[in-house]
Amino acid sequence: MSIRLPENIDPDLSNGFSIELLQQKVQALNWGPLYKREWLPSCAGEVPKNTLCVMQFNLLAQGLSTGPKVPTPFPAEKGFAGDFGGVFIRDRRRSSIRDGRRRFDSISSPDVVLDWNARKWRLLEEIVRVNPDILTVQEIDHYHNFFEPALAALGYEGKFLPKLDSPSLMFGWWSDGTAMFWKSSSCELVQDDSGRFDPSGRPYLCCHLLEHRSGRPLVVATTHLKAKATQANEGKRHADIIQLLSKLSSHDDAVLLLGDFNAEPRDSDRSESGKVLVAECVPAVLGNVELKLSSAYPIDDPHLYTTCKMRSGSEWRRTIDYIFYNRGFKCLRYLEIPPIEALHSERLPGKEYPSDHFALAAVFDVAPAKDHSP
């Protein structure tokens, strides 16, 4: 098992981070605005003044998106080379879908769009414009040297757990993993109950937070489940999420479960075998009788998607990212996913959006703690 992490802070942050620095960097890109996104109501009535905003974001790791001209911090493993998502060079005829390595071969200027030194600022721009109280991210391979110090300057604290043997390592890059951030003005960490699934070893974060406004203890969990649309991997995703649900079911607190599950909410014909893939993971989440979780997004809507990319000229549009909550919360509104017609023909990522996943965000009213009830 191998873990590699950057040791030195990003040179762009050597003099600290500020909103002014972010604005300067984004303006220098001259890429125009991010896709417009509106807040959509989840229920009728006025939004209370004091609310809790949560955000879920797969950042698209540098090590899983960078091109072959960028020097890697480590030698690539024999037979592998980074090529805007990774290519198994011993057999270039294999498609990115079959070999499980993403290759952004439909982007006309990948060296520009996927340049980490540009994209990192756009990722921060999206986070800052949402301004979440709690943020969960996946495919983060610059936690200690970029995101943690930048977000700390904005009042956030965080936790990070890297993958064991991240796929980024084979291309000569750092380990990616899962992270959680929270504003210290909104929440404080009471207990860290994070760990790894058995036997997969995939990381999950499970943090007990105290929400200051309501005085309510929260349990917030996030993970990044096994990729690839096969029935065997859906079984692995199901096995891992069952473990996390079991951990969460032992708590009577307000519960949030967020992440990139790599799993559709219903049976899908977009499997790699061409056969119908029977959904197991998300139905297990929604069917847990102890937690009684609901989705902040209308996952029954067939038009909903959270990721959309072009692979070898074919569009892959899927719903695999989620924000789930239990009865300790009331969902007030959620951040719109732009209509598919609004996207560039090359889909995601692009100059208009820095990841191949749209960030999800929702605003909640938190029920007061029992001992604070009137």
Side-chain angles (χ1 to χ4, degrees):
M1 300 294 182
S2 299
I3 294 175
R4 295 175 184 161
L5 301 175
E7 296 180 355
N8 301 317
I9 195 166
D10 189 303
D12 284 328
L13 300 184
S14 58
N15 294 320
F17 175 79
S18 66
I19 295 296
E20 291 73 23
L21 175 64
L22 174 60
Q23 292 172 340
Q24 292 170 10
K25 294 293 186 179
V26 169
Q27 289 172 3
L29 293 177
N30 196 29
W31 283 5
L34 294 166
Y35 283 124
K36 183 180 179 181
R37 307 181 68 182
E38 302 287 351
W39 287 98
L40 302 179
S42 298
C43 59
E46 295 185 3
V47 175
K49 182 178 180 180
N50 295 311
T51 57
L52 185 76
C53 179
V54 303
M55 182 177 185
Q56 150 60 31
F57 202 4
N58 181 316
L59 302 180
L60 178 57
Q62 181 186 20
L64 297 175
S65 60
T66 296
K69 296 181 181 179
V70 179
T72 60
F74 308 97
E77 293 183 13
K78 184 178 181 181
F80 290 89
D83 190 4
F84 304 113
V87 171
F88 186 57
I89 64 175
R90 281 184 293 211
D91 186 357
R92 286 187 178 271
R93 294 172 298 176
R94 296 182 67 187
S95 72
S96 60
I97 298 172
R98 286 182 58 198
D99 68 18
R101 312 290 190 267
R102 287 177 301 177
R103 182 171 56 191
F104 297 104
D105 57 0
S106 296
I107 297 176
S108 57
S109 301
D111 55 326
V112 175
V113 169
L114 295 170
D115 176 8
W116 176 252
N117 286 316
R119 201 163 59 82
K120 66 187 181 184
W121 299 113
R122 293 293 255 181
L123 292 168
L124 274 180
E125 182 185 9
E126 177 71 335
I127 293 169
V128 167
R129 78 165 173 171
V130 174
N131 190 27
D133 297 293
I134 298 173
L135 166 68
T136 61
V137 297
Q138 299 78 39
E139 288 197 26
I140 179 170
D141 52 2
H142 289 278
Y143 175 85
H144 296 289
N145 66 328
F146 186 74
F147 286 101
E148 192 278 332
L151 291 174
L154 300 181
Y156 288 88
E157 299 177 58
K159 290 286 182 180
F160 169 70
L161 197 56
K163 294 176 184 174
L164 303 176
D165 288 330
S166 162
S168 298
L169 299 182
M170 68 180 73
F171 304 119
W173 290 97
W174 295 287
S175 302
D176 72 294
T178 299
M180 184 185 303
F181 300 90
W182 57 90
K183 282 184 181 178
S184 56
S185 60
S186 300
C187 303
E188 63 181 89
L189 180 66
V190 176
Q191 179 181 340
D192 183 6
D193 200 16
S194 306
R196 299 183 183 276
F197 296 120
D198 182 24
S200 72
R202 302 186 75 83
Y204 64 85
L205 294 177
C206 183
C207 293
H208 298 242
L209 303 175
L210 181 66
E211 204 268 327
H212 292 155
R213 178 182 64 86
S214 65
R216 182 74 183 262
L218 315 178
V219 180
V220 185
T222 185
T223 190
H224 188 189
L225 299 178
K226 179 71 175 175
K228 295 180 68 174
T230 69
Q231 199 64 57
N233 284 348
E234 180 72 359
K236 294 177 182 178
R237 292 187 283 268
H238 178 261
D240 283 350
I241 203 64
I242 286 295
Q243 294 177 51
L244 189 50
L245 291 171
S246 177
K247 179 180 288 288
L248 295 175
S249 296
S250 64
H251 302 289
D252 190 31
D253 301 321
V255 172
L256 288 168
L257 174 59
L258 312 91
D260 175 357
F261 290 3
N262 274 307
E264 296 267 15
R266 64 188 69 85
D267 296 353
S268 170
D269 59 1
R270 292 305 300 265
S271 69
E272 298 190 13
S273 66
K275 300 178 181 179
V276 172
L277 194 157
V278 179
E280 301 177 43
C281 179
V282 175
V285 173
L286 295 174
N288 186 282
V289 296
E290 289 86 8
L291 290 169
K292 297 180 180 178
L293 294 167
S294 301
S295 171
Y297 279 73
I299 56 176
D300 290 333
D301 182 351
H303 300 293
L304 181 70
Y305 70 97
T306 63
T307 179
C308 185
K309 65 201 81 175
M310 301 296 292
R311 285 174 166 172
S312 301
S314 178
E315 182 186 87
W316 277 71
R317 191 191 319 175
R318 306 176 66 205
T319 298
I320 57 177
D321 307 270
Y322 299 95
I323 297 175
F324 293 113
Y325 64 97
N326 75 344
R327 58 189 175 274
F329 298 90
K330 179 181 180 181
C331 187
L332 302 172
R333 57 184 182 174
Y334 63 94
L335 188 60
E336 171 194 38
I337 302 293
I340 197 69
E341 298 80 13
L343 301 191
H344 190 281
S345 60
E346 296 177 357
R347 301 315 193 217
L348 302 175
K351 290 184 177 180
E352 303 86 352
Y353 207 76
S355 176
D356 55 341
H357 294 242
F358 274 111
L360 308 186
V363 174
F364 294 98
D365 187 14
V366 185
K370 293 179 180 179
D371 58 353
H372 285 68
S373 299

